[in-house]
Amino acid sequence: MPGMIGKKIGMTSLFDENGKNLPCTVIEVEPNVVTQIKTAEKDGYEAVQLAYGEQKESRVPAAMVGHFKKAGVSPRKKVKEFDTSFGEVELKEGVAISVDQFFAEGQFVDISGVSKGKGFQGVVKRHGFGGVGQATHGQHNRLRAPGSIGAGSDPSRVFKGMRMAGRMGGAMTMVENLRVIKVDADKNLLVVKGSVPGPKNSILIITK
């Protein structure tokens, strides 16, 4: 799918035309620069590579520095390939695509990002278990325990995929069908209804 790269700024709220207060996420979408056009003849598939966020050359791998110089752009923080169906937007190396060229108010978008890492968590927080006994029958220290995880002699093992305690968060997550509330071309901002994955200042992939 076609899309752009942005950065989560934070959350706010806006009133719609009916006076309803809507929870919104503000995303900074600086102009994405085209750094490579991939074709079926040369690469075996068609795609456009976009780059986001200015970066010091010393913080970019040497191979990527050469890649950016070849495209005629300065080093960037993040690159991502998208589908080439950008409509009337010109796709050529070195061209910058602004937020208002691709997004419009009222559209629905899908947003991907790395969710907040929450460390090692138990089954109550990680999977929503109710705990054992619900504080009844004298179970003073079993309120958040997982309980039994399998049968006895048959099958004599724990099945794969059993929901247990473990590391939570820190995984690529997508939230679908978020409505675009506002597009601010002057400040390179995109405001969508609802929440998106990740903490403030995290990189997001916005597709439609």
Side-chain angles (χ1 to χ4, degrees):
M1 295 183 290
M4 295 183 71
I5 310 169
K7 181 176 71 173
K8 181 177 179 179
I9 300 300
M11 293 198 69
T12 185
S13 61
L14 296 175
F15 290 94
D16 64 7
E17 60 277 4
N18 299 319
K20 185 177 180 181
N21 194 10
L22 304 177
C24 301
T25 302
V26 181
I27 305 170
E28 181 184 56
V29 187
E30 294 180 358
N32 286 198
V33 181
V34 179
T35 52
Q36 188 176 5
I37 303 293
K38 298 201 171 183
T39 61
E41 296 77 16
K42 184 178 179 181
D43 304 288
Y45 66 101
E46 293 185 353
V48 56
Q49 184 187 84
L50 300 182
Y52 169 87
E54 295 280 350
Q55 183 66 288
K56 292 181 180 179
E57 186 173 320
S58 60
R59 294 184 178 180
V60 178
M64 290 303 297
V65 171
H67 179 70
F68 290 130
K69 287 183 178 179
K70 182 179 178 181
V73 301
S74 59
R76 305 287 165 143
K77 292 181 180 179
K78 176 74 175 179
V79 294
K80 176 74 176 176
E81 289 185 3
F82 296 96
D83 189 274
T84 57
S85 53
F86 277 76
E88 298 179 359
V89 179
E90 181 184 17
L91 297 178
K92 189 169 63 174
E93 289 187 3
V95 171
I97 303 174
S98 60
V99 62
D100 60 323
Q101 286 182 281
F102 188 62
F103 297 108
E105 296 180 6
Q107 288 181 335
F108 288 86
V109 296
D110 300 337
I111 299 181
S112 302
V114 178
S115 61
K116 292 182 180 180
K118 301 182 184 298
F120 192 97
Q121 299 295 334
V123 292
V124 173
K125 183 176 180 69
R126 192 182 188 203
H127 300 296
F129 282 19
V132 176
Q134 297 290 334
T136 60
H137 303 291
Q139 301 191 59
H140 67 283
N141 63 348
R142 298 279 296 162
L143 302 183
R144 301 176 70 87
S148 175
I149 61 171
S153 59
D154 184 18
S156 298
R157 65 188 179 90
V158 177
F159 289 111
K160 289 183 178 180
M162 179 67 63
R163 294 182 297 170
M164 300 177 71
R167 182 176 291 181
M168 181 180 177
M172 181 60 72
T173 308
M174 174 182 284
V175 179
E176 299 180 329
N177 296 325
L178 297 174
R179 181 159 58 94
V180 176
I181 302 297
K182 188 175 182 180
V183 179
D184 190 334
D186 296 330
K187 297 181 180 180
N188 297 321
L189 296 179
L190 182 72
V191 181
V192 298
K193 180 185 175 182
S195 59
V196 302
K200 293 179 181 178
N201 298 319
S202 60
I203 298 296
L204 299 173
I205 307 299
I206 312 150
T207 57
K208 66 176 184 179

